[in-house]
Amino acid sequence: MPMYPSRRVMVGSGLAAMTAMATTSAAAAERSGPARALARAVAAYSALGRHFGTNDGSGLVREQVPAAADDRPYSYEWPYSQVHIAALDLTAVDATYESELAERAKAQEHFWHAAGGTTKLPGYDSYPVAPHGSGGDMFYDDNEWVGLAKVQRHLQTGDAAALARAKEIFALVRSGWDTDTSHAAPGGVFWTQADWSQDRNTVSNMPGAQLALRLHQITGEADYLDWARRFYDWTNTHLQSPGGLYWDHLDLKGTVEKTFWSYNQGVPVGVNVLLYEVTRDRAYLRRAERIAEAAYAYYVTRGRLFTQPVYFNSIFFKNLLLLESATGKDKYHRAMSDYADQVWSTMRDPATGLVHFNAPGGTEAIQQAAFAQIYAVLAWPRAKWRTLY
């Protein structure tokens, strides 16, 4: 399967021009409370349903509107998972979305490949399996996002089925560990099982560590903590830059791709917070704070936040809120609110409710879903932030 653009290529040529976030006054901050955030989350999610629904009973969505000539009937798994997570985040603050979440979770299973991929363990394919599609390559990061969503659901409701699926996903992720000692920097979880890519990425390793830490917190099983440390140590050794931020990936020859994506900074923050919670070693919390501050300076202070896809920023900010659940601070929460409000005021079409990041004016399902996630989480009470990833 060819790599689809929304995985690694920055979309929207107009984003780079938007390099400064609006300064929010105390009065404006007062107006941007949970009720307004929830109303905007509902509006964004409703627009997602109106414009991206397939209306064929599958519960799946289209990739983008307007559709491109070569679009397939349904979106890929990574965009769909973010639609699913938007419903999950809304349900956490509005119980009337329970039935909607159930439908999204049911449709998520259209991607489940029970027979397994190259490692013979089941997981989510990158495209729906029969009867809705022919499946596709398995990506470890795609599966990790669903695993983390399942853990979030379990932490908030005690859902046993969600926990069971998270454990299955972790078994798949663990099977993606590079065991070939002839490779440069042996170890690390591969990005995908596809033979067209042999990269080991920050985004396939740090979310794996985060998922393992959550499973350790829930079950107490030491094996999860051991694997979390393995993923964490490998990524820190080979993909953390001298300035503290994380590069994208390493190939089998040892060449590092040094782009700084925002979600690759957020997840290590969250991993360090969870390591602090597990071990009570404050060195991890200090490390989380240092990475967060370096990322804030890079993206917010220096005006680069709008050079990042909104679906990377949603993950970035969620992890910063996880940090603030431990520190009691509010700096990153305010930055998240400022970002959401600027997107709302400058990139949303009031007539359709859709956000437009792409130069031609189109919208991807993953963009609309991430936007809904951001406002949904802004509506959460602080006590729920500790369940984020």
Side-chain angles (χ1 to χ4, degrees):
M1 184 195 74
M3 181 170 63
Y4 48 95
S6 63
R7 296 197 61 85
R8 193 179 279 166
V9 177
M10 183 61 230
V11 293
S13 60
L15 296 189
M18 300 192 64
T19 57
M21 294 188 60
T23 301
T24 303
S25 66
E30 189 67 26
R31 293 194 299 271
S32 59
R36 193 191 72 162
L38 178 58
R40 290 187 171 186
V42 168
Y45 188 84
S46 297
L48 176 66
R50 288 195 305 273
H51 296 281
F52 291 89
T54 53
N55 301 316
D56 62 359
S58 68
L60 297 169
V61 299
R62 292 181 288 159
E63 186 82 9
Q64 60 188 334
V65 292
D70 60 348
D71 277 1
R72 302 173 79 174
Y74 305 114
S75 79
Y76 287 97
E77 195 281 335
W78 156 233
Y80 184 80
S81 71
Q82 300 310 298
V83 175
H84 177 185
I85 292 168
L88 174 68
D89 290 346
L90 270 167
T91 303
V93 73
D94 186 344
T96 64
Y97 277 86
E98 280 287 348
S99 60
E100 175 70 13
L101 175 59
E103 289 301 312
R104 293 301 186 192
K106 180 180 178 182
Q108 181 76 59
E109 298 311 297
H110 294 319
F111 298 89
W112 186 251
H113 185 173
T118 61
T119 64
K120 309 303 181 185
L121 290 173
Y124 293 103
D125 271 3
S126 59
Y127 196 74
V129 300
H132 298 288
S134 55
D137 300 320
M138 273 191 189
F139 288 82
Y140 291 107
D141 62 326
D142 284 2
N143 279 271
E144 287 161 346
W145 301 130
V146 182
L148 288 166
K150 296 295 186 180
V151 166
Q152 178 179 307
R153 175 66 173 174
H154 175 79
L155 290 173
Q156 293 177 347
T157 67
D159 188 324
L163 177 60
R165 179 47 54 89
K167 291 179 178 180
E168 286 184 281
I169 292 170
F170 182 75
L172 171 71
V173 172
R174 184 175 55 195
S175 78
W177 182 261
D178 175 26
T179 59
D180 190 336
T181 57
S182 71
H183 293 160
V189 176
F190 287 100
W191 184 41
T192 176
Q193 295 183 353
D195 58 11
W196 49 261
S197 173
Q198 295 181 319
D199 299 336
R200 292 155 293 165
N201 294 54
T202 296
V203 78
S204 52
N205 283 275
M206 279 299 190
Q210 198 164 33
L211 178 58
L213 286 164
R214 284 302 195 189
L215 291 172
H216 172 71
Q217 285 182 317
I218 294 166
T219 68
E221 294 177 22
D223 189 53
Y224 288 125
L225 180 57
D226 291 342
W227 274 100
R229 291 185 187 278
R230 187 179 300 189
F231 299 154
Y232 174 81
D233 290 342
W234 184 90
T235 313
N236 285 341
T237 299
H238 299 292
L239 288 171
Q240 189 174 24
S241 73
L245 298 183
Y246 287 80
W247 294 313
D248 189 66
H249 69 270
L250 175 78
D251 67 20
L252 296 185
K253 295 179 180 180
T255 303
V256 176
E257 204 291 309
K258 294 186 175 181
T259 302
F260 292 135
W261 297 111
S262 59
Y263 70 162
N264 281 340
Q265 319 316 319
V267 179
V269 170
V271 169
N272 277 290
V273 172
L274 296 184
L275 281 167
Y276 161 68
E277 290 182 354
V278 166
T279 66
R280 308 315 296 178
D281 183 345
R282 294 192 68 84
Y284 289 117
L285 187 60
R286 291 193 295 270
R287 194 171 299 169
E289 291 180 304
R290 286 196 299 271
I291 298 166
E293 188 53 44
Y296 182 91
Y298 186 85
Y299 294 110
V300 181
T301 305
R302 298 173 193 165
R304 294 188 178 103
L305 195 57
F306 280 90
T307 69
Q308 301 293 292
V310 62
Y311 42 88
F312 288 4
N313 288 340
S314 63
I315 294 167
F316 172 65
F317 279 123
K318 286 179 179 183
N319 279 280
L320 295 185
L321 292 195
L322 177 59
L323 172 60
E324 291 189 327
S325 75
T327 65
K329 298 177 183 178
D330 199 50
K331 175 180 179 178
Y332 304 131
H333 176 258
R334 292 196 306 271
M336 183 180 183
S337 180
D338 290 349
Y339 171 73
D341 289 349
Q342 189 167 356
V343 172
W344 180 277
S345 63
T346 64
M347 305 181 110
R348 175 181 174 273
D349 180 355
T352 64
L354 297 178
V355 289
H356 298 303
F357 293 90
N358 298 356
T363 306
E364 298 172 23
I366 194 171
Q367 295 170 331
Q368 191 71 22
F371 184 55
Q373 287 176 35
I374 289 170
Y375 267 124
V377 171
L378 285 169
W380 286 17
R382 178 180 280 268
K384 285 189 181 290
W385 295 1
R386 61 183 300 274
T387 64
L388 286 166
Y389 57 86

